Amino acid sequence: MAQMNFGGVMENVITREEFPLEKAREVLKNETIAVLGYGVQGPGQACNLRDNGFNVIVGQREGKTYDKAVADGWVPGETLFSIEEAAQRGTIVCMLLSDAAQIAVWPKIAQYLTPGKALYFSHGFGITYKERTHIVPPADVDVIMVAPKGSGTSLRTMFLEGRGLNSSYAVYQDATGHATERTLAFGIGIGSGYLFETTFKREVYSDLTGERGSLMGAIQGLLLAQYEVLREHGHSPSEAFNETVEELTQSLMPLFAKNGMDWMYANCSTTAQRGALDWMGPFHDAIKPVMEKLYHSVETGNEAQISIDSNSQPDYREKLNAELKALRESEMWQTAVTVRKLRPENN
């Protein structure tokens, strides 16, 4: 375990150098990894593990997602099974279904969590909010987590490019005495860049805050607000979109991802530099109370309950599709369709 300096705070991290793939294969050589669910995280983790030489099977009910698993090379009756049969066969049972689906299938698979198995998650939701989800593992199994900090698609794409997506890891229950090494081996097996320790609770609190905040919710709100102000003051859709979204995603994000925001500030015009430094404070002061309100809603379980309640509604999918349709058909994101077509690589 290496100690690294993160902004003046020392943290323990696990790297591929100190926990190489060969060690991970040795730790899990007698395990059958059963990946339940082939939707968001399932394909990336299952395929990366398979490509890295681990014994992997997939559990998925029949339908479009099942067909995708077949197209990815999983063989019905050999490496592709029903969710229940995969759970029975697996020694590490991976709950990579959606949070709502985990709640629904838990009564069916709990019986297959026999002593010595490991129950694996990539999100702390089901365990942290167990009073609401009723996911309560037996005391004689390991309960572990590796949470990639990105989408399953990114996990797979970066793996194929020879890179790795950073992941957090946690051990909630160590029944065998080997839960930590199982967890770290799994994290290396899926192709993590490096692994940093957390808890199930901290993971779900940070994850729910992040996706509602800077990763998706807040960024859409911020972009739309700026786009609307520019449009209301007479700017064209193309100009408003380029100044709001296109320059951010295509030019600036890669630069400050690589070099940091201080570098970005030091390498722009003096006019942009002065304005950014002056206005970051008012934006921070306006946004932080909203972030505090959001975190409180996560911490109290309110966000979890909203998710559970909405996902359990029979018309949830129809309502969701209507909301996504409205977002997709908004002027800003319809402008994006045209702008993407006009990018040089598409001409």
Side-chain angles (χ1 to χ4, degrees):
M1 187 175 292
Q3 273 218 324
M4 303 292 288
N5 188 329
F6 292 88
V9 178
M10 300 303 293
E11 289 187 38
N12 293 323
V13 299
I14 305 297
T15 66
R16 299 182 192 184
E17 287 71 31
E18 58 191 317
F19 204 114
L21 183 58
E22 293 74 21
K23 181 177 178 180
R25 290 191 186 118
E26 179 64 23
V27 170
L28 300 182
K29 66 181 180 181
N30 297 320
E31 305 274 16
T32 297
I33 299 169
V35 173
L36 308 187
Y38 207 74
V40 179
Q41 280 289 335
Q45 295 198 32
C47 290
N48 289 3
L49 286 162
R50 180 180 62 185
D51 289 356
N52 269 337
F54 296 87
N55 181 25
V56 188
I57 61 175
V58 171
Q60 175 62 44
R61 63 175 177 267
E62 292 192 12
K64 187 184 297 185
T65 307
Y66 185 95
D67 295 340
K68 181 184 185 309
V70 172
D72 285 347
W74 303 98
V75 181
E78 294 182 17
T79 55
L80 178 60
F81 304 92
S82 69
I83 289 173
E84 293 86 347
E85 186 170 355
Q88 185 175 18
R89 288 171 175 263
T91 59
I92 300 179
V93 179
C94 306
M95 291 284 269
L96 297 184
L97 299 147
S98 69
D99 294 326
Q102 288 182 26
I103 296 170
V105 306
W106 176 252
K108 300 175 184 177
I109 69 163
Q111 61 186 307
Y112 301 118
L113 295 173
T114 51
K117 286 193 176 187
L119 178 62
Y120 168 94
F121 295 86
S122 282
H123 188 27
F125 190 99
I127 294 294
T128 300
Y129 301 114
K130 58 183 180 295
E131 293 82 6
R132 303 167 190 265
T133 64
H134 307 295
I135 297 176
V136 181
D140 50 11
V141 302
D142 292 342
V143 182
I144 62 178
M145 176 176 66
V146 176
K149 298 298 103 182
S151 70
T153 301
S154 298
L155 182 73
R156 182 61 176 164
T157 301
M158 293 174 74
F159 176 86
L160 293 173
E161 292 173 350
R163 300 186 293 147
L165 193 64
N166 300 331
S167 303
S168 60
Y169 75 93
V171 174
Y172 178 79
Q173 186 169 283
D174 184 0
T176 66
H178 302 291
T180 298
E181 65 176 7
R182 277 172 134 177
T183 308
L184 297 178
F186 203 106
I188 296 299
I190 64 172
S192 300
Y194 74 85
L195 294 150
F196 60 95
E197 190 172 9
T198 188
T199 66
F200 274 63
K201 182 180 288 187
R202 289 206 306 266
E203 190 283 330
V204 75
Y205 284 8
S206 60
D207 186 79
L208 294 184
T209 299
E211 61 198 16
R212 284 153 177 74
S214 65
L215 302 180
M216 293 174 67
I219 193 68
Q220 167 62 16
L222 171 65
L223 296 177
L224 182 60
Q226 179 171 305
Y227 181 87
E228 288 176 342
V229 167
L230 290 172
R231 290 287 289 122
E232 288 160 7
H233 285 270
H235 298 269
S236 69
S238 182
E239 185 169 55
F241 186 85
N242 273 278
E243 291 292 351
T244 300
V245 180
E246 191 74 353
E247 185 174 352
L248 172 68
T249 59
Q250 301 305 299
S251 175
L252 303 188
M253 274 187 170
L255 290 173
F256 67 71
K258 179 180 180 182
N259 302 310
M261 189 59 81
D262 59 318
W263 184 94
M264 192 73 256
Y265 276 38
N267 286 274
C268 62
S269 72
T270 55
T271 302
Q273 184 182 76
R274 184 69 264 147
L277 288 167
D278 288 346
W279 277 93
M280 69 179 184
F283 274 111
H284 167 271
D285 294 347
I287 292 166
K288 190 169 181 181
V290 180
M291 285 294 183
E292 287 284 4
K293 183 178 179 180
L294 165 58
Y295 192 86
H296 179 72
S297 187
V298 170
E299 190 175 35
T300 59
N302 183 56
E303 290 301 308
Q305 195 61 53
I306 290 171
S307 178
I308 292 168
D309 290 345
S310 63
N311 288 337
S312 64
Q313 297 298 314
D315 61 347
Y316 169 71
R317 184 58 58 181
E318 290 76 11
K319 288 180 178 177
L320 173 66
N321 287 337
E323 290 181 277
L324 295 178
K325 183 174 184 287
L327 185 63
R328 182 173 61 252
E329 293 181 354
S330 67
E331 183 187 279
M332 185 170 76
W333 291 115
Q334 283 301 300
T335 299
V337 174
T338 303
V339 171
R340 285 196 293 269
K341 289 178 182 176
L342 292 171
R343 288 176 186 162
E345 67 265 25
N346 294 326
N347 293 314

